[in-house]
Amino acid sequence: MLAHQQGLDPDRQGVLVTQVASGSLAARAGVAPGCVISMVGAEPVDSPASFDAAVHKAVAEQRQAVILLVEQDGQALFVAIPL
């Protein structure tokens, strides 16, 4: 399992980031491979499908940005990504 290979707790909820496009809005906001995204807005996410659904919901609601709860190196922070 990828979480185990990364040294993460397999019971941890969230989506493990494996790639971020160089120069993308996410990269500029500090999202990097190895981060775990556990929330998109007020929606908890636990799979790529739930992450995509939460982002698509924010787009459909015409939000200007989406807030991600990102955890990396034992620290959690909120990151705003413009849509």
Side-chain angles (χ1 to χ4, degrees):
M1 180 148 276
L2 189 57
H4 179 71
Q5 291 174 353
Q6 295 291 324
L8 300 173
D9 178 355
D11 295 326
R12 181 185 214 176
Q13 295 294 310
V15 178
L16 177 63
V17 176
T18 59
Q19 294 180 355
V20 179
S22 179
S24 67
L25 294 173
R28 286 188 266 162
V31 178
C35 290
V36 175
I37 299 171
S38 57
M39 294 188 80
V40 176
E43 304 285 329
V45 293
D46 60 3
S47 69
S50 65
F51 175 84
D52 287 343
V55 171
H56 286 286
K57 179 180 175 186
V59 170
E61 293 173 350
Q62 299 181 345
R63 295 188 187 167
Q64 293 185 358
V66 66
I67 304 295
L68 307 178
L69 177 55
V70 179
E71 300 173 45
Q72 185 173 32
D73 299 327
Q75 295 191 353
L77 62 135
F78 289 98
V79 176
I81 307 292
L83 296 175

